[in-house]
Amino acid sequence: MSPRKRHARGDSATNLLVIAGCCLAGLVVCALLAIPWGGLVTANCHWDCWWYLDISRDGYPSLPHPAGTAGPGQAAWAFFPLYPALIHLTNRLFGLPPQSAGLLVNILLWPLLIFLCQRDAEWRGQPVNRALFALFFVLFPFTIWYTAQYSEALYGVVLMATLLALRRHHILSAAMGCALLALARPTGFAMSVCLAGWWLVAHRDERRGTVMAESLLLIAAGGAGLSLFVLYLAHLTGDGFAFLHVQTAWARHLQFFVLPILQAFKKMSNLPGGLCAVATIGLLVWMWRLRWRLAAWLVGMTALIATSTSVLSLERYVFGNPLTIEFLACFTLTRSPPIRALILTIMGLFHILTTLGWYSHNPSLM
């Protein structure tokens, strides 16, 4: 191994230790806050958590059945298989209960996600203080789902790893990432298409035929991952797109994306979602103007898909997106030290509030 590679590996290891230290400190604070709710494992597990745990234990049902707080017609088909499969594997390897296994998976993935986002920022030429970058992620109010039994951490790691593979022109690794994305979340295949489109446009003047083939490979890989789930559901339930059709049980119906936003302002309980949608538009314009075009494209497509049915959980899909957090971190850390310290302090206070809201089952943080 050359001295340069040895130094790079040592630098990465040191960086990961710093990130892990920041994450551990944040986890200790969360553990203290979680004491009234029975500890971290219990406090973090509600809503989607129960569905993932049910899949990890029993697999997917052939018919709708109640799980956790399920309503009539709801079924686990709406939840994609990659995260529950990882919970099941961790459960079998370490003998942990599914609740603990799901939390452990995300606690381990969280520092890796911050590391990947940091590498992406450096690849873009953004001057960042690595310790402060990690601290920003830990303090950011909308990262609460990364240390809960949700699929955010796994999806974020796969998304950022795929993006970095593309930036480094590792097409086969990126294609594998696209397949995993499609198995991780309903938006995964759409992200594969977006990445393929970006790759085609960004390299349109280079090796036209090859770039076109590479873009098609990314789409095909994402399609292959999604097809595995579709074929499995078709065999199990007779409806390969049950993951889409079951959304009606949650009162989610496909609409022109503007309509759910307008409807949110008619009902006080949906007002936070409506305000979040307006903030999302501002965020996307800001990203685009500062030339974070790919991030704006990916976050914007995620927001479009989400708001086509509801504004519910939009804060998680948009402001909890790793690309959004990376963008805001790079912007904040280039401010003057007093402004930077003020923003980090305010974020820390809001993080405590969102954490307490999450533990209290606040419906605005689903």
Side-chain angles (χ1 to χ4, degrees), residues 28-341:
V28 169
V29 173
C30 290
L32 293 174
L33 294 174
I35 290 173
W37 288 272
L40 270 179
V41 175
T42 305
N44 275 302
C45 190
H46 39 266
W47 291 313
D48 292 4
C49 167
W50 296 112
W51 292 104
Y52 287 123
L53 297 183
D54 191 53
I55 296 166
S56 72
R57 282 191 300 259
D58 306 317
Y60 288 93
S62 57
L63 295 170
H65 71 289
T69 55
Q74 294 179 0
W77 313 321
F79 301 89
F80 276 48
L82 192 60
Y83 178 55
L86 201 51
I87 294 175
H88 180 76
L89 180 62
T90 306
N91 166 250
R92 297 299 294 270
L93 285 176
F94 300 105
L96 294 171
Q99 261 185 293
S100 301
L103 186 62
L104 177 63
V105 166
N106 287 349
I107 287 173
L108 295 177
L109 288 175
W110 179 219
L112 178 58
L113 174 62
I114 297 173
F115 176 78
L116 292 173
C117 289
Q118 194 180 88
R119 282 303 170 97
D120 185 61
E122 291 172 351
W123 189 266
R124 289 180 50 86
Q126 297 288 327
V128 294
N129 179 303
R130 291 177 170 180
L132 287 179
F133 188 90
L135 184 61
F136 185 96
F137 267 70
V138 172
L139 293 178
F140 192 69
F142 296 108
T143 56
I144 50 176
W145 301 282
Y146 287 101
T147 50
Q149 295 93 327
Y150 267 46
S151 62
E152 257 64 27
L154 178 59
Y155 180 77
V157 165
V158 177
L159 175 63
M160 297 309 301
T162 304
L163 179 53
L164 279 170
L166 270 183
R167 292 198 191 281
R168 296 169 185 267
H169 292 235
H170 296 164
I171 300 299
L172 290 179
S173 297
M176 185 179 298
C178 286
L180 292 175
L181 276 174
L183 285 168
R185 294 277 282 275
T187 53
F189 177 67
M191 294 301 99
S192 301
V193 175
C194 290
L195 287 170
W198 168 75
W199 183 255
L200 184 62
V201 171
H203 300 275
R204 58 187 177 276
D205 297 326
E206 311 169 16
R207 307 168 289 119
R208 287 179 181 271
T210 304
V211 170
M212 175 64 78
E214 290 168 346
S215 298
L216 291 174
L217 175 62
L218 296 176
I219 295 173
L226 181 61
S227 295
L228 288 175
F229 191 41
V230 168
L231 290 172
Y232 172 76
L233 288 177
H235 170 74
L236 183 69
T237 69
D239 179 5
F241 291 92
F243 67 92
L244 284 176
H245 302 148
V246 76
Q247 297 291 339
T248 57
W250 279 270
R252 289 178 176 267
H253 305 278
L254 188 63
Q255 305 175 68
F256 180 52
F257 75 97
V258 174
L259 295 178
I261 297 174
L262 294 176
Q263 290 164 4
F265 287 97
K266 296 179 180 179
K267 192 175 180 182
M268 186 58 67
S269 61
N270 293 334
L271 185 60
L275 295 173
C276 185
V278 173
T280 296
I281 295 170
L283 171 71
L284 295 174
V285 172
W286 187 18
M287 280 181 160
W288 194 266
R289 292 189 64 179
L290 293 186
R291 303 188 68 81
W292 284 65
R293 303 285 169 79
L294 177 58
W297 172 232
L298 294 174
V299 174
M301 182 57 69
T302 302
L304 179 64
I305 294 171
T307 53
S308 293
T309 57
S310 171
V311 294
L312 188 67
S313 302
L314 189 60
E315 72 286 345
R316 176 159 60 94
Y317 300 136
V318 173
F319 291 95
N321 189 296
L323 290 167
T324 298
I325 306 169
E326 179 190 337
F327 167 73
L328 294 174
C330 289
F331 178 82
T332 300
L333 298 182
T334 54
R335 304 303 96 190
S336 64
I339 297 296
R340 192 170 58 202

Side-chain angles (χ1 to χ4, degrees), residues 29 33 139 141 346-358:
V29 173
L33 294 174
L139 293 178
I346 293 172
M347 282 198 329
L349 294 174
F350 272 98
H351 185 86
I352 291 173
L353 291 176
T354 54
T355 300
L356 292 173
W358 173 249

